[in-house]
Amino acid sequence: MGCCGQRMIMDAVAIGVALLAFVSVFTVMKLGSSIQSSLVGSASGCQFPAVFNFGDSNSDTGAASTMIRLVPPPNGQTFFGKPSGRYSDGRLIFDFIAEKLGLPYLSAYLDSMGTNFRHGANFAVGGATIKPEPSVNPIHLSLQLYQFEQFKSRAIELYNQGNKLYAMSLPRPEWFSKALYTTDIGQNDLHYGLLLLTEEQVKASIPGLIDHFALAIEKLYQEGARAFWIHNTGPIGCLPFFVISNPPKTGNADPNGCIKSYNEVAQEFNKQLKDRVTQLRNKFQDALLVYVDIYKAKYSLISEAKQHGFVNPLGFCCGHHKDSSLKCWDDAEVNGTKVYGASCSNPSEYISWDEIHYTEAANYWISNRIFDGSLSDPQLFQFEEFKECTIELYNQAISVPNPVFGTATCDFPAIFNFGDSNSDTGGLSAAFGQVGPPHGESYFHHPAGRYCDGRLVVDFIAESLGLPYLSAYLDSVGSNFTHGANFATAGSTVRPQNTTLQQSGYSPFSLNVQFYQFSDFHRRSQFFRNQGGVFKGLLPEGEDFSRALYTFDIGQNDLTAGYFLNMSTDQVRAYVPDVLDQFSVVVKSIYAQGGRSFWIHNTGPVGCLPYVMDRLPITAGQVDKAGCASPFNEVAQYFNKKLKEAVGRLRMDLPLAALTYVDVYSLKYSLISHAHHYGFVHPLQACCGHGGKYNYNPHIGCGGKITVHGKEVLVGKPCQDPSVAINWDGVHFTQAANKWVFDRIVDGSFSDPPIPLKMACHRHPPSTLK
């Protein structure tokens, strides 16, 4: 492909796809004579505090210019008086809509200089496509969505830090659900195809394009978006680029001189797009999806150009008019003569600016053409009709009772926990023998199935929610599952280890097995409960499974398992993505069975645990200021980073789920590194153990005995005061440390989103958490 074709692809097809929708948004919401006040100052109707746009060069306000090549003069000459990152002599339809909404022009997300994202961000990039394509701009729609996801997450995090500078330049967290989401993309996919394929082959690719586009809308919906303006694509067969470089063959020109078969491809794309928008509208009944027929507006302008004061509708203003390969702003030497891709004397007379993009005058005309909403589906002629629809949608989005945007505390009737020994309340003990004394001495005063002197974080979670401590699913004696069940077992991993407990010390009840147990419990509990009698009082009600809190604390053993098999740090890091893929499968499977509220702990600083530092070799240079082993903590941090990303993807994949990521790593490391400040002593020593630098011996653990002169002697004794110890037995925390950690996570300070435990059924932080 020549440079002309590639330039075309990079800049090509966003001609008007999205711009029209913005204007119809404003139009249908116009109240009285004041356009601005209808959306910004009026007490009536819906106010959009922000706009988030996704698209190509038809709505790109500077991204491609920043990342590829600065857009040079004469672009921008009509309105901005200089290049403004737009492929036009002035404003885009997108800009006119922002004006009418009373909002500033949107900054490009990829432009880091002088940008302000207070009222939204523009993720559109010139040359972008719906599906990834070779030799075109790599920032396709899926990557734009990923950028939005990162923007949203970071914006909320920074905003909630309370920094005034961030507060002035970033949207409020609650604005993401109230914003307008616009799309302007698809023309480049068709354009690129027409350069390489037949029209029939391009048409055959359209269903795949529509599938990708629909998935993008679904993901935005899952992120909380509820108001969408979706633009179809313009008459690609009327672009001067095609008409000049590939003139229509006999019988393939329409009355305007456009390439008829190319326009038919665009029309087929638009038909399938409209059908899919209708399907999405039925699927997401609490969302407003408006499809805008920009094709009709543009084709009408081209057909009636002279009537509306335009000349030469298939010509273009900026470029070398005798050599279409010389683009706007380019220069070259032709037959010994220097020629320039200069602008025409009066851009306001032209529809096309540079063979591909429209002039400001044409964009303005199109904006006014769709202003009354008559080219929208649904047609939004009357403000009152739209206002009623929008107010209803708006109230659904921000008012009380639904679990996505509510602000009331959650009524969790049950907890279902999955994990390892950090949250095992008796599973491994039931299966392989009771953990012995002195475990449990500080609170239960006898062994209670916990590898701790007392309560675990999951116990404090249950207490705070007014629920009893969870019975282990594997414990059939004296258990009561009315308020949930605990599937965690000590030594569990996310990935099956394919070894016996005796061989490796790792539990055979990996996370997938715990899910199978949960699934069986879910089914059988209702069977037996419906029989009445004693079972009715010992098993949860059917509806409790969807209202319950699902807690996770697992992953630590997956990291140490690799090290204990003599793997290098790089090898351990390499399998972390697979561990998290398997974790995500389980969360999705629980969601499929009705689970909606998920409280997910990351893993702690394994490099600060006595059993890791005692058993694995480390050099002096690998010990940090707290005395912990840096390489192992760095792997834990990498695991947590990837876990947080996985939780973010789950939020997009599970639209009705509330997923809270809890950073226990930061808390545990802070406690260890500042132990004395918080009233603890000997942070790297086990309270209960025997011998060595860390009071830990892998062969003589807490409660361990040795034989002396034929008699058993207890040597794995607890320290005198576990309440000032952090580590209990070389592996697990003491009750005092668990309580310290819980007290700092319960209010949401270390959560993403920063939401208290009692409000973890809500997908977004309430407006009071700013």
Side-chain angles (χ1 to χ4, degrees), residues 332-634:
E333 190 171 298
V334 178
N335 297 325
T337 303
K338 197 78 168 180
V339 294
Y340 299 91
S343 169
C344 61
S345 60
N346 188 1
S348 66
E349 295 181 343
Y350 281 84
I351 294 173
S352 183
W353 166 244
D354 59 3
E355 297 186 288
I356 300 169
H357 310 97
Y358 279 25
T359 61
E360 175 177 280
N363 288 329
Y364 180 74
W365 186 93
I366 293 166
S367 299
N368 287 327
R369 178 69 178 83
I370 62 172
F371 187 78
D372 63 0
S374 60
L375 295 181
S376 299
D377 176 43
Q379 288 192 348
L380 305 172
F381 290 106
Q382 301 297 323
F383 167 73
E384 290 302 324
E385 295 176 11
F386 178 74
K387 184 177 72 172
E388 291 172 8
C389 171
T390 306
I391 289 177
E392 180 181 358
L393 169 68
Y394 185 71
N395 289 337
Q396 288 176 0
I398 64 171
S399 65
V400 286
N402 77 54
V404 175
F405 297 96
T407 58
T409 57
C410 307
D411 179 19
F412 293 120
I415 299 172
F416 296 102
N417 182 67
F418 304 81
D420 53 29
S421 55
N422 288 316
S423 59
D424 180 2
T425 55
L428 196 74
S429 289
F432 295 102
Q434 181 64 260
V435 56
H439 293 291
E441 67 170 23
S442 295
Y443 183 79
F444 301 100
H445 308 300
H446 59 79
R450 294 156 174 82
Y451 290 85
C452 181
D453 63 310
R455 290 164 290 180
L456 310 177
V457 172
V458 70
D459 294 314
F460 293 114
I461 289 176
E463 282 185 8
S464 72
L465 296 177
L467 301 176
Y469 301 138
L470 292 188
S471 294
Y473 168 74
L474 294 174
D475 190 357
S476 60
V477 179
S479 293
N480 188 320
F481 299 113
T482 307
H483 296 287
N486 193 354
F487 301 91
T489 61
S492 287
T493 53
V494 175
R495 293 202 312 177
Q497 295 301 302
N498 299 318
T499 61
T500 66
L501 182 66
Q502 288 72 24
Q503 288 173 323
S504 66
Y506 292 107
S507 169
F509 306 116
S510 52
L511 185 58
N512 63 319
V513 176
Q514 292 181 28
F515 168 71
Y516 298 147
Q517 294 171 343
F518 164 77
S519 183
D520 193 49
F521 176 84
H522 190 178
R523 176 182 59 83
R524 296 177 67 215
S525 65
Q526 298 313 292
F527 173 79
F528 287 111
R529 193 176 196 281
N530 291 335
Q531 292 184 3
V534 66
F535 297 115
K536 188 171 184 179
L538 295 176
L539 297 169
E541 298 181 12
E543 57 268 28
D544 288 353
F545 286 89
S546 60
R547 297 171 55 214
L549 179 66
Y550 291 81
T551 55
F552 293 81
D553 192 335
I554 195 167
Q556 175 177 308
N557 292 327
D558 290 88
L559 303 183
T560 59
Y563 283 114
F564 292 148
L565 289 174
N566 296 318
M567 289 186 180
S568 67
T569 292
D570 287 341
Q571 288 174 315
V572 175
R573 285 172 61 97
Y575 66 65
V576 165
D578 181 57
V579 172
L580 295 175
D581 284 345
Q582 295 192 39
F583 175 86
S584 296
V585 167
V586 170
V587 173
K588 291 178 180 180
S589 299
I590 293 172
Y591 177 87
Q593 294 204 13
R596 291 296 180 265
S597 301
F598 299 87
W599 183 266
I600 300 169
H601 290 190
N602 67 10
T603 198
V606 296
C608 299
L609 298 176
Y611 89 109
V612 171
M613 293 188 289
D614 179 84
R615 296 177 61 183
L616 297 175
I618 54 174
T619 65
Q622 293 174 326
V623 177
D624 67 15
K625 294 181 179 179
C628 302
S630 296
F632 310 132
N633 280 347
E634 288 169 1

Side-chain angles (χ1 to χ4, degrees), residues 22 47-54 59 61 86 94-95 98 101-111 114-124 144 147-149 151-152 155 159 166-182:
F22 279 91
Q47 300 178 11
F48 292 119
V51 177
F52 297 101
N53 181 63
F54 305 83
S59 58
T61 55
R86 294 158 174 79
F94 180 85
D95 295 313
L101 291 175
L103 301 177
Y105 303 137
L106 285 196
S107 294
Y109 169 72
L110 292 175
D111 187 359
T115 50
N116 189 317
F117 299 115
R118 178 64 169 169
H119 295 286
N122 192 358
F123 300 89
Q144 291 181 28
Q147 292 172 348
F148 168 76
E149 177 187 355
F151 174 84
K152 179 184 175 185
Y159 190 93
Y166 293 143
M168 293 173 59
S169 60
L170 293 172
R172 290 179 175 269
E174 64 269 23
W175 285 1
F176 286 94
S177 62
K178 301 177 184 179
L180 177 66
Y181 290 79
T182 62

Side-chain angles (χ1 to χ4, degrees), residues 702-723:
C702 179
K705 300 176 181 180
I706 62 173
T707 301
V708 180
H709 302 304
K711 293 184 179 181
E712 285 191 332
V713 178
L714 176 67
V715 293
K717 298 179 181 180
C719 57
Q720 184 175 0
D721 186 3
S723 69

